[in-house]
Amino acid sequence: QKEVEQDPGPLSVPEGAIVSLNCTYSNSAFQYFMWYRQYSRKGPELLMYTYSSGNKEDGRFTAQVDKSSKYISLFIRDSQPSDSATYLCASNTGKLIFGQGTTLQVKP
Amino acid sequence: NAGVTQTPKFQVLKTGQSMTLQCAQDMNHNSMYWYRQDPGMGLRLIYYSASEGTTDKGEVPNGYNVSRLNKREFSLRLESAAPSQTSVYFCASSEGGSNYGYTFGSGTRLTVV
């Protein structure tokens, strides 16, 4: 079992929809969580970063961590075609441990 | 500001050939990493260097070697390439520690035939 698990999708939504991307992790000692966005044929880029439990908001993006259930979520409001990418959750333990990534397509 | 630069961008090798993937960062980061990305597997850590002069194995180190040449440069070597090493390879760097994100290069697409 991977330490960080993510449903690979693909996920297809209409423009303007609210998108929910989710991961689970196995190690209760994990405290630092990140979301990366990766466009096709590009390297991943850091999108959001959270520490421990709670929410963090940045524009249309909200990252949420529930340590009691070992659950990580990324919400995208008013999704746009430019949000079409692969989204990778990760925990930073001194080394980044990634989930498999979820491919999102936002259709105009 | 170049960030993390990887060379080459594409490479085709024959089974048994060797090659070195180069990576350089200009952000004065302490730590550098090599990942491979395969469909359905996400990014898996091959080797990392927490600081200049140190290297450690990651999740999938077999068939690879690394060299931290100086603070800027971290190379990955395939001594005898195998078809199972066909993948996209990413180099990354960070300040180090759990509360820092990584900056990734644009990747090297390697095909071993």
Side-chain angles (χ1 to χ4, degrees), chain B residues 13-80:
Chain B
L13 286 179
K14 293 182 178 179
T15 298
Q17 286 185 318
S18 62
M19 79 161 294
T20 300
L21 281 65
Q22 306 286 354
C23 175
Q25 53 94 5
D26 62 1
M27 296 168 286
N28 201 35
H29 283 169
N30 293 314
S31 302
M32 297 185 73
Y33 312 84
W34 277 105
Y35 284 86
R36 60 178 289 173
Q37 187 173 34
D38 303 291
M41 302 294 291
L43 283 152
R44 293 182 292 169
L45 184 63
I46 304 170
Y47 270 94
Y48 66 102
S49 171
S51 61
E52 187 179 356
T54 68
T55 60
D56 284 289
K57 295 178 180 179
E59 182 184 356
V60 288
N62 292 345
Y64 305 94
N65 285 300
V66 290
S67 294
R68 183 75 182 267
L69 303 171
N70 47 55
K71 191 170 185 179
R72 290 187 65 248
E73 298 173 287
F74 189 39
S75 63
L76 178 72
R77 183 161 178 83
L78 287 71
E79 290 291 352
S80 179

Side-chain angles (χ1 to χ4, degrees), chain A:
Chain A
Q1 182 188 3
K2 283 177 68 71
E3 292 184 277
V4 180
E5 294 274 4
Q6 187 174 6
D7 184 345
L11 182 62
S12 182
V13 301
E15 183 175 354
I18 297 174
V19 176
S20 173
L21 302 168
N22 305 297
C23 293
T24 58
Y25 62 95
S26 59
N27 191 331
S28 58
F30 288 177
Q31 295 194 81
Y32 296 90
F33 303 96
M34 299 174 181
W35 284 94
Y36 281 78
R37 179 174 60 195
Q38 185 178 22
Y39 290 115
S40 180
R41 297 186 172 265
K42 300 290 186 182
E45 54 180 349
L46 182 63
L47 187 62
M48 298 281 288
Y49 158 58
T50 55
Y51 170 69
S52 195
S53 280
N55 293 359
K56 185 172 184 178
E57 190 173 316
D58 184 2
R60 297 184 294 110
F61 297 88
T62 300
Q64 189 173 79
V65 177
D66 183 346
K67 292 204 77 180
S68 63
S69 58
K70 300 192 187 72
Y71 208 74
I72 313 164
S73 299
L74 179 71
F75 299 97
I76 308 174
R77 292 184 298 280
D78 187 24
S79 57
Q80 302 295 309
S82 59
D83 295 328
S84 298
T86 296
Y87 291 81
L88 299 140
C89 62
S91 178
N92 194 342
T93 63
K95 297 170 290 184
L96 270 182
I97 301 171
F98 284 93
Q100 294 92 323
T102 300
T103 299
L104 171 67
Q105 183 181 25
V106 181
K107 295 184 176 180

Side-chain angles (χ1 to χ4, degrees), chain B residues 77-97:
Chain B
R77 183 161 178 83
L78 287 71
E79 290 291 352
S80 179
S84 61
Q85 295 177 304
T86 294
S87 187
V88 182
Y89 292 84
F90 287 100
C91 178
S93 70
S94 78
E95 294 278 1

Side-chain angles (χ1 to χ4, degrees), chain B residues 98-113:
Chain B
S98 302
N99 55 336
Y100 291 100
Y102 291 12
T103 301
F104 283 84
S106 57
T108 295
R109 294 183 174 273
L110 176 67
T111 302
V112 183
V113 298

